Amino acid sequence: MFESKYSWQAPAGTEDTARSLAEALSVSPLTAALLASRGIGSVEEAGMFLNGNLEMLHDPYLLLGMEKAVLRIQQAIENGEHILIYGDYDADGVSSTSLMIYFMRHLGVSYDIYIPHRSNEGYGLHNHALDWANQQGVSLVITVDTGISAVEQIAYANSLGIDVIVTDHHEPPEVLPDAYALINPKQPGCPYPFKGLAGVGVAYKLAQAVLKDPPVEWTEIVAIGTIADLMPLTGENRILVSRGLECMRHTSFQGIRALMEVSGISMGSVTSTNVAFGMAPRINASGRLDHAGSAVALLTTEDMDEAQRLSHALDELNKERQQVVEVIVQEAMMQLQGKMSGGTVPDVIVLAGEGWNVGVVGIVASKILERYYRPVIILGIDPETGMCKGSARSIPGLDIFEALTSCKELMEHYGGHPSAAGMSLKREQLPAFEEALNHYAASVLTADDFTPVTSTDGEWRLSDVPLSVIDEMEMLAPFGMANPVPKLIFRGTQLVELRKMGKEGKHLKLVVRQGGARIEAVAFGRGDLAELLEEGMTLDILGEVSVNEWNGSRKPQLMLQDMKITGPQVFDLRDSKEPWGEIQRIYDQVAPYMRLDHRHIAAVFNPRIESSPKMDLNDCTLWVYDSKAGISAFNDAANTYGKDHITTLFMVHVPDSADQLDMLLGSFKNLSNVFLLHSGRNKAEQLTIPSREQFKLLYVLLMRLAAEPIREQEALARLSQQSSSTLRMVTMMMDVFEELSFIERLDGNIVVIPKPPKRELSSSIHFSALGSLAEMEQHLVYAGTSQCTSWVISRLEGAS
């Protein structure tokens, strides 16, 4: 069984709401169901969701601390004070800082900006930066996307006579800083209705409070930060991002125009997906590998030449970032292998390395989480100071901010969200830190939490998604967090066509059919699965529908996210040159799709052909053919795990008999995948299913040849030639004659018994065994793929 990588979670209990919405809004059942699954239960709510505008934004003065902050800014304007905008180095921080620059320019005030260097300084407000601000004559600091945890630093600012207004959206700590004003919708006692603003969203609300109607084009910057920081695209965020994307399609910002160009984005059709995967990584690259100031300069420049230069520089940084990430991922994976005792992955993966660029450790954490589906913390170690700075990414079952809070005494600093966080700690605290996190996780997580889950928008048929419905679904855009691109399940589709595509065949293109409807499906980066699929297979698929436009033609297309093949599967990889290496390659390739770990795998081989396996998967179970029991355990893993966990079998050699094959298949009660890696026999050794006529002919030839005793090897060779049967076939037929007392074997000779007893061929055990073995080898060794795999499946189903 080819399992889906994820457990597909369908929305529950929205059918009645969807029906009423479809009727009231005159939309398709699918579009109505999508609205209902997003929590929209009435026509009024649907109107807000689909037609929200800037006039519907909440009053910024509902934010606790806003009135005090506005009065202080107005005082600074009147007194001609020098203001410092203190930002952060990620895309949200860059966007927030850029927005505040436009705000300061609009107000015509004296200002500076300060963004800490990710590697040299780390996250948050720093005393040395406040010292510098004091030297510059700053009397008011406005933080954006940071500050809510800066208790000591803001106390220091107060001692210098500097007022601090904090605008932030991160989770507030138990003790809040004594700032002049704190603006954060998540802080205790804040009545603001929408808690999901990004840092740039909070900064925008400050500008809105002061100006009442900020320039509409500022929403472009809000959109970039909100999308990049993975904030929910619901409520106010949806309004701000929608308006921002609309403005971006005819942007007057030179930097945004240049950034879209270098990202290969068509300005007239920019989407939230373009921002997330095209623009945001390049903005983030500045803070990861250099200094975020270059990204701020890009978003705030009014010079097109400078915008072009800066955008190309960010593009090069992003390419460098990709290479750096790949190197660290490889090193981290090797380190993790050393921690996986008995193949068991820790509940929380904590990895640290000298020289690992702290600017990309969050990306590395995401990649390792995707591979192992565990909370992951990756830290870069400064070899001189011993300080570790890192990033965490978590799974839904573990609130990583709460987990870090449980061991806060081990860290110098930490902060973040339930799914992502950052921290710094001393090197000597690493073992205790890892132990504490795993102890906490063990008390919170259950086995179900380690099964990857993806939310879907239910089961549909291909006929439910014509072009008109796909176009209609666009009214739900922009898509992102809390309003994801719809993922639809299509069950029981038949695979009609299959081919690799792209450079080096890295991608997969399928055509599937369901009833009278067909659709093309593309799976990026999944070309390696082509050899595991066959035309005619029945697939359950999960995908995102879109429109493929080419040369003026438009047709539905499915972007494949996941797939599943139900029932037992047999994969024909016969005649593999290095079968043991093939097992390792297949495991690495398909483990996520078959939900495998080493205890689920069995490899069986013939010890007479190969005394010991040549493979690295020492923790998988190894078995050898046994003439009495069918198979017997070969390694410690087989003895430890036993047979009940086995779902996937690698057959390295052909069984000695059909009975042995049935005992093999019957030994593993939960077997659903069989990979055939054995060699095909030489035609010179082929057996045929024996017939009476064949035995009669051979007996006549034997009587002529062996009137006197004859050396067996000579007789076999001559009989093989005269009967046109292989030497192996003739040898096994001699076993039948001997069992039936037609011949005797004496001292290497064959002696024909003149008057043998009358016995039926069918009474011979050797005759039945020869027939069964010939049939098995005919299907298992010599048949084509379709006939071979169908026959093994029938034996597998019979064994179960």
Side-chain angles (χ1 to χ4, degrees):
M1 180 185 299
F2 190 101
E3 288 281 3
S4 55
K5 183 176 181 180
Y6 298 95
S7 174
W8 302 345
Q9 190 174 68
T14 58
E15 293 84 357
D16 292 341
T17 302
R19 276 193 293 270
S20 62
L21 285 174
E23 183 177 346
L25 299 173
S26 299
V27 295
S28 67
L30 175 53
T31 301
L34 295 175
L35 288 168
S37 68
R38 281 150 179 75
I40 296 166
S42 67
V43 173
E44 292 73 21
E45 290 174 332
M48 286 284 290
F49 184 84
L50 299 174
N51 307 306
N53 55 59
L54 295 178
E55 286 70 35
M56 296 178 180
L57 295 179
H58 301 299
D59 182 352
Y61 283 97
L62 291 174
L63 281 159
L64 186 64
M66 182 63 78
E67 184 173 359
K68 194 174 181 182
V70 170
L71 291 173
R72 182 64 184 88
I73 291 172
Q74 290 172 342
Q75 178 187 328
I77 296 170
E78 292 170 4
N79 296 338
E81 296 180 50
H82 191 49
I83 300 173
L84 178 67
I85 306 303
Y86 195 104
D88 186 32
Y89 38 67
D90 68 1
D92 188 15
V94 165
S95 302
S96 304
T97 305
S98 301
L99 181 68
M100 292 304 288
I101 287 174
Y102 284 108
F103 181 41
M104 294 294 109
R105 288 177 184 174
H106 189 90
L107 295 176
V109 300
S110 173
Y111 73 94
D112 260 318
I113 68 167
Y114 192 99
I115 297 178
H117 192 284
R118 185 190 290 257
S119 300
N120 298 339
E121 297 173 276
Y123 177 81
L125 198 57
H126 297 285
N127 286 353
H128 64 262
L130 293 169
D131 288 333
W132 173 83
N134 191 40
Q135 293 169 4
Q136 304 303 310
V138 169
S139 53
L140 175 62
V141 172
I142 303 175
T143 74
V144 286
D145 194 35
T146 189
I148 195 65
S149 300
V151 175
E152 296 177 5
Q153 293 81 4
I154 290 177
Y156 183 67
N158 293 338
S159 74
L160 296 175
I162 298 174
D163 291 336
V164 180
I165 296 173
V166 172
T167 72
D168 201 352
H169 73 126
H170 293 95
E171 296 295 328
E174 293 177 10
V175 178
L176 297 174
D178 184 23
Y180 187 90
L182 279 178
I183 305 173
N184 183 334
K186 295 177 182 175
Q187 68 176 302
C190 181
Y192 199 72
F194 184 67
K195 306 296 184 182
L197 290 170
V200 69
V202 179
Y204 179 85
K205 300 304 293 189
L206 177 61
Q208 185 187 18
V210 174
L211 302 179
K212 293 187 174 59
D213 293 308
V216 67
E217 58 268 24
W218 289 5
T219 58
E220 297 178 43
I221 299 171
V222 178
I224 292 172
T226 302
I227 294 169
D229 214 41
L230 304 180
M231 291 297 103
L233 296 192
T234 57
E236 282 194 312
N237 285 348
R238 178 175 172 80
I239 294 172
L240 290 166
V241 170
S242 296
R243 194 68 180 94
L245 291 172
E246 185 181 331
C247 290
M248 217 178 286
R249 293 176 188 128
H250 47 81
T251 184
S252 59
F253 289 118
Q254 301 295 352
I256 291 178
R257 183 184 295 268
L259 188 59
M260 281 195 281
E261 183 179 315
V262 81
S263 303
I265 298 169
S266 172
M267 195 169 79
S269 56
V270 63
T271 66
S272 55
T273 302
N274 298 147
V275 173
F277 295 100
M279 299 169 72
R282 289 169 172 81
I283 293 173
N284 273 321
S286 64
R288 294 186 191 282
L289 298 187
D290 191 15
H291 191 279
S294 57
V296 172
L298 173 64
L299 292 183
T300 56
T301 185
E302 296 176 353
D303 182 276
M304 190 59 196
D305 290 338
E306 184 184 21
Q308 290 284 352
R309 178 182 62 80
L310 289 168
S311 65
H312 283 281
L314 292 189
D315 188 50
E316 289 302 314
L317 277 176
N318 190 50
K319 292 175 183 175
E320 182 183 345
R321 185 269 306 167
Q322 292 170 332
Q323 294 172 349
V324 170
V325 166
E326 186 58 34
V327 170
I328 298 176
V329 166
Q330 294 302 321
E331 294 178 1
M333 293 288 279
M334 289 179 63
Q335 189 180 126
L336 177 58
Q337 291 299 319
K339 292 188 176 190
M340 289 168 56
S341 174
T344 302
V345 185
D347 288 351
V348 180
I349 298 172
V350 180
L351 305 170
E354 288 189 2
W356 289 359
N357 189 311
V358 298
V360 301
V361 290
I363 301 173
V364 176
S366 295
K367 288 182 176 292
I368 295 178
L369 183 150
E370 183 179 357
R371 173 67 179 83
Y372 291 101
Y373 202 69
R374 295 288 193 280
V376 180
I377 297 177
I378 305 294
L379 302 115
I381 304 173
D382 187 321
E384 296 182 4
T385 66
M387 282 301 297
C388 308
K389 296 178 181 178
S391 287
R393 298 293 183 270
S394 194
I395 59 178
L398 185 77
D399 183 327
I400 196 65
F401 182 79
E402 291 296 327
L404 291 172
T405 301
S406 73
C407 57
K408 60 184 178 181
E409 69 281 355
L410 298 173
M411 295 173 287
E412 301 295 302
H413 179 84
Y414 76 101
H417 308 290
S419 59
M423 75 295 298
S424 61
L425 63 154
K426 294 177 181 177
R427 186 177 199 158
E428 56 266 26
Q429 297 288 8
L430 277 175
F433 178 65
E434 181 175 8
E435 183 181 356
L437 284 173
N438 273 281
H439 179 75
Y440 177 85
S443 69
V444 173
L445 294 169
T446 66
D448 290 342
D449 292 319
F450 295 125
T451 299
V453 174
T454 187
S455 296
T456 77
D457 290 286
E459 297 183 20
W460 300 87
R461 298 194 56 82
L462 294 180
S463 56
D464 293 324
V465 287
L467 275 175
S468 59
V469 171
I470 299 174
D471 289 338
E472 182 185 79
M473 287 164 57
E474 278 301 307
M475 69 171 66
L476 276 70
F479 297 113
M481 295 299 290
N483 181 36
V485 176
K487 288 185 174 67
L488 310 180
I489 300 170
F490 300 96
R491 296 200 186 275
T493 69
Q494 185 180 22
L495 180 56
V496 178
E497 296 176 23
L498 163 71
R499 67 179 176 87
K500 293 182 180 181
M501 57 183 245
K503 188 178 180 181
E504 300 176 356
K506 288 185 177 180
H507 311 303
L508 190 64
K509 186 171 186 179
L510 313 174
V511 176
V512 295
R513 179 174 59 213
Q514 189 185 55
R518 291 162 58 109
I519 195 169
E520 289 183 354
V522 176
F524 288 109
R526 296 284 71 190
D528 54 355
L529 297 181
E531 63 190 80
L532 303 180
L533 300 173
E534 294 179 21
E535 293 179 1
M537 278 183 167
T538 300
L539 304 176
D540 292 346
I541 54 180
L542 176 69
E544 301 171 357
V545 291
S546 60
V547 177
N548 182 11
E549 299 191 37
W550 179 254
N551 285 340
S553 173
R554 302 176 80 243
K555 59 182 179 180
Q557 179 177 259
L558 192 65
M559 308 309 291
L560 200 64
Q561 304 296 312
D562 204 0
M563 72 174 83
K564 180 178 183 179
I565 309 171
T566 56
Q569 298 298 313
V570 176
F571 301 95
D572 182 8
L573 301 174
R574 289 174 294 177
D575 291 315
S576 297
K577 293 181 180 178
E578 297 181 1
W580 297 108
E582 192 78 347
I583 293 173
Q584 178 71 63
R585 185 188 69 80
I586 292 168
Y587 176 80
D588 292 339
Q589 175 184 328
V590 306
Y593 291 90
M594 294 182 178
R595 301 185 191 168
L596 296 179
D597 62 33
H598 296 171
R599 65 198 170 112
H600 297 134
I601 296 173
V604 62
F605 64 101
N606 190 329
R608 297 195 311 277
I609 299 174
E610 190 168 5
S611 59
S612 62
K614 304 178 181 66
M615 66 182 296
D616 295 326
L617 281 173
N618 295 322
D619 292 315
C620 88
T621 69
L622 299 178
W623 307 79
V624 292
Y625 290 117
D626 185 307
S627 58
K628 296 180 179 179
I631 58 169
S632 59
F634 179 82
N635 67 345
D636 291 340
N639 286 313
T640 301
Y641 298 137
K643 302 173 182 177
D644 292 344
H645 295 292
I646 302 301
T647 63
T648 300
L649 172 67
F650 292 93
M651 191 184 298
V652 179
H653 298 129
V654 178
D656 290 329
S657 68
D659 287 343
Q660 194 172 69
L661 174 65
D662 290 337
M663 283 191 285
L664 166 68
L665 298 178
S667 295
F668 304 120
K669 302 299 182 183
N670 295 304
L671 192 61
S672 55
N673 306 296
V674 178
F675 288 86
L676 305 177
L677 299 168
H678 57 269
S679 300
R681 289 189 185 275
N682 191 304
K683 288 284 186 180
E685 296 184 341
Q686 186 169 2
L687 302 177
T688 57
I689 297 175
S691 64
R692 293 179 180 276
E693 290 70 22
Q694 193 174 9
F695 271 92
K696 183 177 180 180
L697 171 62
L698 192 69
Y699 188 70
V700 170
L701 293 173
L702 182 62
M703 290 289 289
R704 293 175 186 171
L705 185 66
E708 299 291 335
I710 185 172
R711 298 298 296 175
E712 182 170 356
Q713 293 305 314
E714 178 187 351
L716 293 177
R718 292 171 66 178
L719 289 170
S720 172
Q721 185 178 16
Q722 293 174 18
S723 66
S724 299
S725 296
T726 66
L727 186 62
R728 181 167 171 251
M729 181 70 183
V730 172
T731 301
M732 297 187 74
M733 292 173 74
M734 288 298 112
D735 293 339
V736 177
F737 285 152
E738 183 180 31
E739 181 188 353
L740 296 176
S741 300
F742 289 4
I743 66 169
E744 284 185 334
R745 284 171 164 142
L746 296 172
D747 300 325
N749 293 324
I750 289 180
V751 178
V752 177
I753 296 175
K755 294 183 179 180
K758 291 185 177 181
R759 297 178 63 184
E760 289 292 327
L761 280 172
S762 57
S763 68
S764 166
I765 295 174
H766 282 92
F767 177 79
S768 299
L770 174 58
S772 298
L773 181 60
E775 180 191 9
M776 180 189 79
E777 291 188 357
Q778 177 180 317
H779 290 95
L780 201 57
V781 179
Y782 302 105
T785 293
S786 179
Q787 185 180 359
C788 172
T789 55
S790 297
W791 185 82
V792 176
I793 287 174
S794 69
R795 303 296 283 213
L796 184 59
E797 291 174 339
S800 62

